[in-house]
Amino acid sequence: MPDKRYALVIDSRKCLDCKACVVACRAENQVPLGYSRNWINEEHRGTWPKLLAAFEPEQCHHCTNPSCVRVCPTGASFQRDDGIVLINEADCIGCRYCVVACPYNARFFREDKGVVEKCTFCVQRVDRGEMPACVETCPSKARVFGDITDPDGKLQQLLATREYRLKKPETGNGPQIYYLI
Amino acid sequence: MAKIEWGILIVNYLFLGGLSAGIFFVSALATYLQQRDEAAYARIARYGAMMAPWPVAIGSLLLIFDLGSWYRFYKLFVHFRWQSPMSIGSWLLVFFTLVALVNFWACCLRSAAVRSLLT
């Protein structure tokens, strides 16, 4: 078990599609319009009168075995010991291989900067002891962020008491966003 | 659906890279199939060696300009990351282009007749 690994647990039954998390991320990280580090997946099922709309937030999963880091030719994409996957902008040449490699389409190329960008789990906030902006702002408390290796932590508690799923686990990337179902 | 990241520049490079490889291969074959201790198809060997380096050189330029920050392309050659196909590919391209250029020099630029042809 590593010392610490950050992960996100999302209870998508609580997600209202209010997009506050998208707005908060944009504000916190200066993401210009036209790009988004996070998004809500909408699913509409059934026909009237038995209709269901389900909302599922998504962003970089900060995987344990990230393909984006593996394919980066310059090492600009790297992973910290606490699991957060980051991009060293100075080394990014904008080849976009990582964008192609990510199974979740979490990365995007910034035309205006010539480099690739993605969710950083608000590393600047986390390192100050705060929550990522999306987690702090969620009005329905659908998001829980923390250290998944902590046996007494909230994440392990939730994962022990609720059923959950991962997205595209068959890729072998080891995504660290857990969706409670 | 995800956005298409690699477009026309990459498509053209793929064609040019393959073209150079094919020319080089045919030229090498024509050189090493020998009849009475000399190249069986000497003219194919020579013209092939002359033509081989250029398509891949142009293709490599296209690759450089496809980069989001093209002026940083040299960073590809400061690192070798064997797990990255792009890293392997970048080094291979440089290696092959150099080999093709050296082959061109070795086969053709040393011969006086061809030198006069080129100047």
Side-chain angles (χ1 to χ4, degrees):
Chain A
M1 270 293 214
D3 289 310
K4 177 193 269 198
R5 169 133 288 181
Y6 285 120
L8 197 55
V9 171
I10 295 185
D11 189 346
S12 27
R13 294 187 315 175
K14 295 184 178 171
C15 178
L16 313 168
D17 195 25
C18 73
K19 307 253 185 25
C21 50
V22 177
V23 173
C25 173
R26 192 183 298 295
E28 169 70 26
N29 297 296
Q30 310 292 305
V31 184
L33 289 175
Y35 304 107
S36 209
R37 293 185 178 191
N38 60 354
W39 62 94
I40 311 291
N41 297 309
E42 274 183 54
E43 191 194 343
H44 300 269
R45 284 207 295 264
T47 54
W48 193 87
K50 296 187 78 168
L51 284 167
L52 180 102
F55 306 109
E56 184 185 69
E58 194 174 1
Q59 59 217 60
C60 168
H61 294 237
H62 296 271
C63 306
T64 50
N65 183 22
S67 26
C68 57
V69 171
R70 211 173 329 123
V71 301
C72 178
T74 61
S77 275
F78 67 99
Q79 182 164 44
R80 297 199 329 182
D81 285 331
D82 58 11
I84 297 185
V85 177
L86 295 170
I87 302 172
N88 178 355
E89 210 179 284
D91 277 339
C92 179
I93 63 177
C95 76
R96 283 109 63 216
Y97 198 155
C98 59
V99 178
V100 173
C102 176
Y104 309 103
N105 295 317
R107 288 170 168 251
F108 56 93
F109 174 65
R110 285 278 298 260
E111 295 277 357
D112 54 332
K113 289 168 103 175
V115 295
V116 172
E117 185 177 297
K118 67 173 191 70
C119 159
T120 59
F121 269 169
C122 284
V123 63
Q124 70 281 7
R125 292 177 58 104
V126 170
D127 286 347
R128 293 196 302 256
E130 295 168 10
M131 287 285 137
C134 58
V135 175
E136 190 175 275
T137 202
C138 178
S140 37
K141 302 218 169 76
R143 297 164 171 267
V144 183
F145 176 84
D147 177 6
I148 198 162
T149 63
D150 181 359
D152 306 314
K154 278 174 303 179
L155 297 209
Q156 280 214 12
Q157 250 173 46
L158 281 167
L159 297 182
T161 55
R162 296 274 302 271
E163 268 187 71
Y164 60 89
R165 63 175 270 264
L166 297 168
K167 297 192 80 160
K168 300 197 185 176
E170 67 277 6
T171 59
N173 275 39
Q176 295 303 298
I177 298 188
Y178 298 82
Y179 293 92
L180 301 178
I181 51 181
Chain B
M1 210 195 106
K3 183 172 167 286
I4 294 176
E5 292 295 332
W6 293 330
I8 194 69
L9 288 176
I10 304 300
V11 169
N12 284 324
Y13 143 74
L14 286 170
F15 176 76
L16 292 172
L19 186 60
S20 270
I23 295 174
F24 186 86
F25 178 72
V26 168
S27 164
L29 206 58
T31 310
Y32 290 106
L33 287 175
Q34 308 253 305
Q35 245 179 350
R36 291 184 291 265
D37 280 330
E38 57 177 33
Y41 302 97
R43 296 238 316 266
I44 292 180
R46 202 165 64 241
Y47 291 149
M50 267 198 274
M51 296 194 295
W54 315 116
V56 71
I58 295 173
S60 301
L61 278 181
L62 295 183
L63 281 189
I64 291 175
F65 289 117
D66 175 79
L67 292 177
S69 303
W70 71 266
Y71 48 88
R72 289 181 179 170
F73 77 93
Y74 67 89
K75 289 181 187 278
L76 286 166
F77 304 109
V78 172
H79 306 271
F80 175 62
R81 295 170 57 96
W82 67 270
Q83 288 192 308
S84 165
M86 186 158 293
S87 187
I88 296 175
S90 311
W91 282 100
L92 267 181
L93 272 182
V94 165
F95 178 67
F96 171 63
T97 306
L98 279 177
V99 166
L101 284 168
V102 169
N103 185 53
F104 169 39
W105 170 82
C107 107
C108 311
L109 294 180
R110 296 191 298 177
S111 130
V114 175
R115 253 182 285 142
S116 66
L117 201 152
L118 291 174
T119 50

